[in-house]
Amino acid sequence: MPAKANDVGRYGMVVVSNRLPVDHEIGPDGATRWKTSPGGLVTALEPVMRSAEGAWVGWAGAVDEEFAPFENDGIEIVPVSLSAEEVQEYYEGFSNDTLWPLYHDVIASPQFHREWWDAYVAVNRRFAQAAADVAADGAIVWVQDYQLQLVPQLLRELRPDVVIGFFNHIPFPPYGIFSQLPWRKQILEGLLGADVVGFQRVADAGNFTRAVRRLFGYTTRGAAVEVVGPDGDIRHVVARTFPISIDVAGFEELAARPEVQARAEQIRSDLGNPKTIMLGVDRLDYTKGIGHRLKAFGELLAEGTLAVEDVTLVQVASPSRERVATYMTLRDEIELQVGRINGDYSTISHTAIAYLHHGYPREEMAALYLAADVMLVTALRDGMNLVAKEFVAASVDEDGVLVLSEFAGAADELKQAIIINPHDIDGLKQAIVAAIEMPESERRRRMRALRRKLHENTVDHWSKSFLDTLTGRGAVPPGIPET
Ligand code: G6P
């Protein structure tokens, strides 16, 4: 039964995501502390959340812990708890060992387990209920990402009065791949519970609408899907692209700080002031093409095209999903590859690859971007890749070369990068050499164009255009790109 107006929650804007925008920490005294993780999403939504009495529903990353809702910086934080079994089956299992590889071109084999699916349904139901409990009458509820694809429909059943948006941060696969999923219809039904379903690339929105046509026979007109209800009534769902971005001004401000610039100088000098510093920054994930990048660099060193005296590769690989078997294997493979290249080509004074299996705060990241001459983004498949955008934002000196995979969503916008196919190792090697040798005038021309493009679409534009479309209540606004 839908809740009555007098027993609904008080929040006019509710964001629902698997992870909360705050990290849970246990202090030395054993007490719980919360630290805001300064992601782009939080920055973009903070002003809207404050003015609309916002609540954020999500998991605190802890196992078997119940936390009461609390206020953080003007936003109500509503923690959803997960048991150890749910973390294993819903998060590590169905989200990251079924959906993640399936939605990223099956680079790794997706595992299909019925118990994982059951856990996914149960946990999505819990998130939907938590959102239903706090949303005010007619509230806007914005659900984020692949871990929560059933929430829109479940929430619509609980609260038909709220306006529901869903944004998929990762790719949406072509039908030939999506159709492998035993629960493909349930997933689409879940998503179609939303008024607006947003994607990163035109291709993702197209894959989604094609799947909807194939599996349900619904008519799609441009970005509008005509969902036919049980009584033959038609409800319009908008499915279109909203390419996500970053807090551009925030990154620029960081990169312009004297202490960050001094840190960048320090990094260069600690590395022995090589002519060229190349940088890779990724979660340690098989979608990122880290192995392809290392192979290309290793071959360039082996051939003598590059020498460790001149070029250093800094590879930040932040730990991720470490209890999922595919990620454990990947770590072993990458570290073997790094060890071999360093063993073969490093000298006492020059290390070929500075490999860092750590996550770093934003300040250190900005310093690394500033210190780098060439940024390597060689993803095999990536929804957007915000690292590419962060590098451009941090390049306040308008210098630096971005090598960018065509398989990252960012390639749709950042066309002045050197665009590569990471599977083509020879092409990747040529691109690396071209990036290193690029004359300053061309570097500046390209970087200026990239920075102009980045300024046209910041994370504020992204959230505003999504929310504007959503408050149009599912109607297709004029002039939006057809999917
Ligand atoms: C990707 C996903 C996010 C996810 C992040 C980190 O960017 O789109 O939803 O939060 O990876 O992964 P994790 O599993 O640690 O949340």
Side-chain angles (χ1 to χ4, degrees), residues 10-13 44-55 73-75 467:
R10 56 180 274 226
Y11 297 96
M13 164 95 194
L45 296 178
E46 243 170 22
V48 204
M49 295 287 265
R50 284 218 189 89
S51 63
E53 286 231 69
D73 250 346
I75 300 173
L467 291 171

Side-chain angles (χ1 to χ4, degrees), residues 18-19 59 91 96 100 104 144-147 168-170 283 285 288 319-321 382:
N18 178 54
R19 281 189 190 273
W59 173 50
Y91 169 69
N96 291 320
W100 183 268
H104 287 88
Q144 311 287 330
D145 230 357
Y146 63 101
Q147 303 94 341
N168 197 52
H169 293 251
I170 70 171
R283 271 187 313 100
D285 194 297
K288 304 290 184 184
S320 185
R321 306 175 189 164
D382 208 334

